[in-house]
Amino acid sequence: METVVKTVKQHSYSLDNNALKELKLIGERYRCVKNYVYSRYSGINSIVLIKRDRDIRDEWVKTKFAEQWKLPARYWKLALSEAVSNIKSSWSNIKLRVKSAVNKNKKLSKQELHYIRYILKADELYQRILQNKSIQIPEAIKLYRLDTGYLNSLIRRLTRKYKGKVPYSNTDTFSIDTGLYSYGDGQIRISSTKKGKRVTVKLKDRNIYDRTMTVKFKDNRIELHCPLKIAKKKHGYQNIIGIDKGYRTLFAVSGKTTYGENLNNYLSEETERLKEVNSARNRFYALKNRYLSEGNYAAAQNIELNNLGKIKYNRKKAKHDQRVKSYINHSINGLIKNEEPGEIVMEDLSFASWNDRFPKSVKRKLSRWIKGYIKARLEFKCEYNSIKYTYINPAYTSQICSKCGEFGARSGEVFNCTNCGTIDADINASLNILKRRDDSEIKLHTDYRKVKEILQARIDRQ
């Protein structure tokens, strides 16, 4: 039986002050462990070491280094493992981006690309190159007579470009495995920082789980996130559709239907509300700073307590986010039910820049999203419903006519073609996306300049 992982949530009732204080203390210390690991082991000198995270753990125990965290061993070991896993994922993403960049570099020969890919696969060699140290190259690659100095410099430069900042955690979220909690009488008992003591939390349901879960704080309550394996659905759908992920409508389908038409309204309403709220808060911030500069600390503190609180602000924001997430899931479910797709073809926008794709007013609204939420939910729904999803190269799918292939102009919601007239811009893009699936010349990672050359050559041959 094929399965997919789904995260289910358990919600608690309001916690008393002592229980909330103890759980937040665990979360704070858990975060400290993770941030230490990020700062100590996310650099280029630890690429090989993080492959053996058990060695780090054993060293902490042997030298009693772990005692400083003032946490039960199971907690800090989970924090260590979680942070190391995130660092590994970060390095994997960096390597993928380096590979993508060199694949688009038309000045590199096949032998040079082979050398770079070989280095990226071997962590020991990759680390030594980033440290600017010499490496032993296999005889087969030596026969290429490559300028390895230039190639090593290119690897270092691209790695610096994509590495980014150290991924510090700023939340007090923490994980608990089966040895750190137990269920009973509609409650969960979570191990505390004190030996033999547990924090009792009353839950809103009586479900019992037996795997590692994540504890998140929601005001004076907690939320337990538990990953469960559930069976995939088998529909036997056969249709192949292309979709364009837009802003005014969430999805435009190659069958000339749209889903999620109210997304724009939801985002606009919240953006305008936040604009007004933040404008008022900025005035209070300015007033507070003026009082501080005048030495009137009592008035400044009064404004801080009564006008600049975050509880109501965050609660309304979270409520809106949940409303829009529900709408997105509802729209995806409607798309799958109505279109009955066996395969969904869509753009790969992993490395696309929103600076060129959307105007400033739109980016301000879309920036409120949890990064990748729409993509993550669409992929999950496809896997859950046994639907294949295929990513294609998005270059120029919104700038060419889906009927004749000529370049046209998009004006708002309308695409204009000098030959064929007008068509809904998102529908036009979705039709081009579906065609791109079977395009043997334009691959997923074909450079956008090369894509334009191919498209122009086709127009010239007509």
Side-chain angles (χ1 to χ4, degrees), residues 347-413:
E347 300 171 300
D348 180 11
L349 296 174
S350 304
F351 305 113
S353 171
W354 280 10
N355 292 332
D356 300 325
R357 187 169 173 83
F358 295 115
K360 185 177 180 180
S361 59
V362 175
K363 287 185 287 183
R364 185 171 63 247
K365 297 169 186 177
L366 293 178
S367 66
R368 289 182 36 75
W369 280 107
I370 300 171
K371 186 179 179 181
Y373 181 79
I374 296 175
K375 177 184 176 183
R377 294 308 297 167
L378 189 56
E379 288 181 353
F380 171 78
K381 298 282 187 182
C382 285
E383 290 179 7
Y384 177 55
N385 288 282
S386 302
I387 298 169
K388 179 183 178 182
Y389 57 89
T390 304
Y391 284 110
I392 55 91
N393 190 323
Y396 298 100
T397 52
S398 62
Q399 298 178 44
I400 59 172
C401 178
S402 56
K403 295 179 181 178
C404 68
E406 286 276 359
F407 284 97
R410 177 169 181 160
S411 177
E413 298 179 28

Side-chain angles (χ1 to χ4, degrees), residues 222 315 340:
I222 64 168
R315 188 180 293 128
E340 298 185 350

Side-chain angles (χ1 to χ4, degrees), residues 29-43:
R29 292 178 179 176
Y30 194 95
R31 170 170 53 86
C32 288
V33 178
K34 287 176 63 178
N35 285 341
Y36 172 80
V37 176
Y38 289 141
S39 64
R40 174 66 180 80
Y41 299 107
S42 63

Side-chain angles (χ1 to χ4, degrees), residues 21 26 28 76 124 149 152 195 200 217 238 294-295 300 330 353 372 396 442 450-451:
K21 183 178 178 181
I26 295 171
E28 181 182 333
W76 68 254
E124 292 81 1
N152 293 346
K195 188 174 181 179
T200 301
F217 294 95
Q238 300 295 323
E294 295 172 353
H330 173 75
S353 171
Y396 298 100
I442 302 175
K450 180 65 175 176
V451 173

Side-chain angles (χ1 to χ4, degrees), residues 84-311:
V84 168
S85 178
N86 290 339
I87 293 171
K88 289 178 181 177
S89 296
S90 176
W91 278 113
S92 294
N93 291 333
I94 291 167
K95 290 178 182 179
L96 284 174
R97 300 191 74 175
V98 171
K99 280 183 184 178
S100 177
V102 297
N103 285 338
K104 293 176 182 178
N105 190 334
K106 301 305 177 185
K107 296 180 181 179
L108 296 174
S109 66
K110 290 184 178 180
Q111 291 80 9
E112 289 172 326
L113 288 174
H114 179 205
Y115 173 81
I116 292 173
R117 291 169 186 150
Y118 174 77
I119 295 299
L120 293 175
K121 283 184 179 180
D123 284 333
E124 292 81 1
L125 301 181
Y126 183 46
Q127 178 173 314
R128 289 187 67 85
I129 283 177
L130 295 181
Q131 293 170 328
N132 218 358
K133 295 180 180 178
S134 61
I135 62 170
Q136 290 294 324
I137 303 172
E139 290 299 324
I141 292 180
K142 281 183 181 179
L143 295 175
Y144 294 157
R145 299 184 181 278
L146 303 174
D147 183 356
T148 55
Y150 164 74
L151 296 176
N152 293 346
S153 179
L154 178 61
I155 291 170
R156 286 191 290 268
R157 188 165 68 251
L158 290 173
T159 300
R160 283 196 302 270
K161 179 179 179 180
Y162 297 125
K163 188 175 185 304
K165 297 180 180 179
V166 174
Y168 286 114
S169 171
N170 55 11
T171 65
D172 292 337
T173 298
F174 63 95
S175 298
I176 50 177
D177 62 18
T178 53
L180 288 170
Y181 68 87
S182 61
Y183 283 99
D185 301 323
Q187 300 172 328
I188 186 170
R189 299 175 183 86
I190 302 173
S191 292
S192 71
T193 57
K194 302 175 183 65
K195 188 174 181 179
K197 300 289 184 180
R198 294 204 168 195
V199 178
T200 301
V201 177
K202 188 176 181 182
L203 301 173
K204 292 185 177 181
D205 64 60
R206 290 183 170 268
N207 295 330
I208 295 176
Y209 303 112
D210 61 348
R211 59 206 65 213
T212 299
M213 299 190 291
T214 303
V215 179
K216 296 189 175 183
F217 294 95
K218 299 291 183 182
D219 296 330
N220 62 343
R221 299 173 289 106
I222 64 168
E223 202 174 75
L224 301 171
H225 290 215
C226 180
L228 293 179
K229 288 184 178 181
I230 57 174
K232 289 184 179 182
K233 289 184 177 180
K234 298 287 186 180
H235 296 290
Y237 295 155
Q238 300 295 323
N239 297 329
I240 300 175
I241 63 171
I243 63 170
D244 179 53
K245 291 177 281 186
Y247 156 66
R248 290 176 178 82
T249 59
L250 184 56
F251 302 113
V253 183
S254 53
K256 300 186 178 181
T257 52
T258 58
Y259 296 87
E261 296 86 349
N262 291 324
L263 176 64
N264 182 16
N265 295 333
Y266 286 137
L267 295 176
S268 296
E269 288 172 10
E270 181 66 1
T271 300
E272 293 307 314
R273 185 190 74 80
L274 284 176
K275 184 179 177 181
E276 292 179 10
V277 170
N278 289 334
S279 177
R281 288 173 71 88
N282 287 337
R283 290 196 296 272
F284 282 116
Y285 274 118
L287 186 59
K288 172 193 166 186
N289 290 333
R290 195 187 85 191
Y291 284 142
L292 287 173
S293 64
E294 295 172 353
N296 191 347
Y297 300 112
Q301 186 179 22
N302 188 52
I303 289 176
E304 179 73 31
L305 291 173
N306 297 299
N307 303 104
L308 296 175
K310 281 284 190 177
I311 294 177

